[in-house]
């Protein structure tokens, strides 16, 4: 497996690390850097210095152990390491630009490079990191977590399909993809902990993240659902998509746990934000539930007359509820 680092990233990591350690009272790296860098100005012409400094940054990046962080992360996944031909590591400016992915949607240069390895039956992996991440102890956990995602993507059992279409509108698609990410990351960290390795986030932190995306599930049931997901560990791509799309399928995973409650999901309907109202068919974030108690019988009957097959359990958006009340009263 070939490991390549973007030259600009190497320079940024070394320069910022030297500055950081000197500022914190450790001049060791500052002295070593200048012992090697200063002679370059003396021995080489202006035209030759750039290539010499590239060699220096590459040497220090390896000597100071930064490249080992990425290499050691792959060593934890021998099967994955055998499937990957090249790893490209490049720098980004912001945390939300970071990521680890198959070199499928990167730039044309990287894509062409990856294709050369794919012809040999190997994949290319791209890693994007902010430079300061290299002297953050959390980088080991981050790489371990992200590489299990890559391992899943290349696993026939997981059956990853990057072209899966979800949602009927942009809002619904965003919700489903965010929940997919949460469920998949939960699965990864539960498997890491099961093998005795430190996860990216602890179990209690994954629960908080899960809870924020499934607020409609009552608290006791949420605890049972989360525990069922955590204990299952491995899910296929299609199972994750199904659970991210349909909350009832998530609730089906609930197990008995102290302080929890296994929900009854048969014939139950979940009204999810961003999903289309059954009456107007427009996406809504303002559902009106428990219509059997909130609307008079004649209003409900009027809605059923105009929408055969509809019933109170399907809910409606607040605008439709207001409109049909007025229509049933003969105002509209």
């Amino acid at each position: 497996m070939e490991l390549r680092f973007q030259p600009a990233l190497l320079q940024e990591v070394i320069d910022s690390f030297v500055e950081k350690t000197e500022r914190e009272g450790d001049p060791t790296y500052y002295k070593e850097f200048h012992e090697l860098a200063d002679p370059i100005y003396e021995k080489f012409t202006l035209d030759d210095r750039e290539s010499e400094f590239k060699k220096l940054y590459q040497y220090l990046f390896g000597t100071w152990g930064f490249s080992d962080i990425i290499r050691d992360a792959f060593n934890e996944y021998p099967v994955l390491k055998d499937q990957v031909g090249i790893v490209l590591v490049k720098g980004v400016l912001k945390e939300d630009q970071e990521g680890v992915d198959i070199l499928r949607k990167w730039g044309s240069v990287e894509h062409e490079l990856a294709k050369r390895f794919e012809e040999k039956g190997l994949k290319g992996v791209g890693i994007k990191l902010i430079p300061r991440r290299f002297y953050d102890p959390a980088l080991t956990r981050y790489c371990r977590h992200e590489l299990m995602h890559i391992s899943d993507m290349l696993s026939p059992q997981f059956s990853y399909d990057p072209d899966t279409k979800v949602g009927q509108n942009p809002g619904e698609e965003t919700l489903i993809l965010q929940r997919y990410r949460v469920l998949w990351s939960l699965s990864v960290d539960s498997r890491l902990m099961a093998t005795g390795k430190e996860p990216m986030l602890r179990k209690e932190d994954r629960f908080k993240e899960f809870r924020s995306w499934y607020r409609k599930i009552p608290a006791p049931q949420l605890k049972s659902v989360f525990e069922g997901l955590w204990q299952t560990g491995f899910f296929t791509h299609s199972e994750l998509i199904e659970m991210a799309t349909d909350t009832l399928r998530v609730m089906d995973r609930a197990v008995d746990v102290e302080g929890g409650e296994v929900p009854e999901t048969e014939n139950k309907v979940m009204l999810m934000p961003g999903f289309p109202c059954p009456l107007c068919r427009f996406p809504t974030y303002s559902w009106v539930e428990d219509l059997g108690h909130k609307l008079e019988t004649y209003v409900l009957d009027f809605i059923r007359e105009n929408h055969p097959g509809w019933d109170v359990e399907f809910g409606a958006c607040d605008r439709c509820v207001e409109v049909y009340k007025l229509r049933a009263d003969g105002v509209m």
Side-chain angles (χ1 to χ4, degrees):
M1 185 186 74
E2 187 176 340
L3 188 58
R4 294 188 189 180
F5 293 89
Q6 181 188 37
L9 173 64
L10 303 183
Q11 180 175 347
E12 182 63 30
V13 171
I14 296 302
D15 286 347
S16 58
F17 182 68
V18 167
E19 179 184 350
K20 172 183 177 293
T21 50
E22 186 194 23
R23 187 176 61 249
E24 293 174 349
D26 181 3
T28 306
Y29 298 99
Y30 176 87
K31 290 179 179 178
E32 182 176 355
F33 174 78
H34 282 283
E35 284 175 0
L36 297 172
D38 292 348
I40 294 177
Y41 291 103
E42 302 169 2
K43 298 178 179 179
F44 296 93
T45 64
L46 187 62
D47 292 338
D48 294 331
R49 287 175 191 169
E50 183 178 353
S51 62
E52 292 301 317
F53 272 109
K54 282 185 177 180
K55 294 176 186 176
L56 173 60
Y57 284 118
Q58 190 170 19
Y59 168 75
L60 292 177
F61 194 84
T63 301
W64 291 353
F66 293 120
S67 59
D68 290 339
I69 300 172
I70 306 298
R71 190 173 288 105
D72 290 346
F74 274 93
N75 288 338
E76 293 188 17
Y77 298 92
V79 175
L80 174 61
K81 191 175 178 181
D82 290 340
Q83 295 174 297
V84 175
I86 187 168
V87 180
L88 300 181
V89 187
K90 64 188 299 185
V92 291
L93 298 175
K94 302 177 182 178
E95 288 188 21
D96 60 6
Q97 297 173 323
E98 291 185 304
V100 181
D101 204 353
I102 303 297
L103 284 177
R104 181 175 176 272
K105 297 181 179 179
W106 278 43
S108 57
V109 175
E110 292 89 348
H111 186 64
E112 288 301 317
L113 183 61
K115 281 175 63 176
R116 298 212 307 263
F117 283 89
E118 287 178 355
E119 291 172 357
K120 304 174 184 178
L122 300 172
K123 292 292 185 180
V125 171
I127 301 176
K128 298 178 182 180
L129 297 168
I130 53 177
R132 61 177 173 82
R133 183 73 71 187
F134 279 90
Y135 40 88
D136 179 351
L139 179 57
T140 298
R141 299 200 310 272
Y142 177 82
C143 289
R144 178 185 296 127
H145 178 93
E146 291 299 323
L147 289 184
M148 183 169 280
H149 281 293
I150 299 295
S151 182
D152 284 346
M153 293 165 71
L154 298 182
S155 165
Q157 184 181 359
F158 187 74
S159 300
Y160 181 68
D161 180 6
D163 298 317
T164 302
K165 302 298 181 183
V166 297
Q168 300 179 24
N169 55 73
E172 187 176 341
E173 179 185 30
T174 298
L175 175 66
I176 292 171
L177 291 179
Q178 288 286 5
R179 288 183 167 180
Y180 177 93
R181 177 190 62 80
V182 169
L183 293 169
W184 194 7
S185 293
L186 182 161
S187 165
V188 166
D189 277 348
S190 71
R191 281 179 278 160
L192 287 173
M193 287 192 67
T195 58
K197 296 178 180 177
E198 188 178 10
M200 184 62 193
L201 291 180
R202 299 172 302 172
K203 182 178 180 180
E204 51 265 40
D205 293 322
R206 284 297 176 200
F207 175 74
K208 292 176 183 177
E209 182 182 49
F210 174 75
R211 181 177 59 194
S212 69
W213 286 97
Y214 287 92
R215 295 184 179 277
K216 295 183 74 68
I217 302 178
Q221 296 180 9
L222 192 72
K223 186 174 181 180
S224 293
V225 173
F226 175 82
E227 191 60 38
L229 294 169
W230 187 267
Q231 291 180 15
T232 302
F234 183 81
F235 297 101
T236 65
H237 170 75
S238 60
E239 287 175 327
L240 291 172
I241 289 291
E242 183 182 37
M243 291 189 295
T245 304
D246 186 350
T247 299
L248 293 179
R249 301 291 70 79
V250 177
M251 296 170 70
D252 284 340
R253 300 286 179 170
V255 296
D256 285 317
V257 60
E258 185 178 354
E261 176 187 330
V262 177
E264 293 289 340
T265 58
E266 189 175 355
N267 299 323
K268 188 174 182 179
V269 176
M270 296 294 290
L271 309 180
M272 306 308 301
F275 283 25
C277 166
L279 303 183
C280 66
R281 300 298 180 185
F282 285 104
T284 182
Y285 291 86
S286 302
W287 288 99
V288 180
E289 302 181 58
D290 197 20
L291 291 175
H293 293 92
K294 293 179 179 177
L295 292 180
E296 294 82 355
T297 302
Y298 72 92
V299 178
L300 297 175
D301 290 341
F302 183 80
I303 296 176
R304 292 189 184 99
E305 289 174 10
N306 286 271
H307 295 274
W310 178 89
D311 211 338
V312 291
E313 66 183 25
F314 299 133
C317 69
D318 56 352
R319 180 171 175 77
C320 280
V321 169
E322 181 181 354
V323 168
Y324 278 98
K325 283 176 66 177
L326 293 174
R327 286 181 179 177
D329 290 332
V331 178
M332 293 180 65

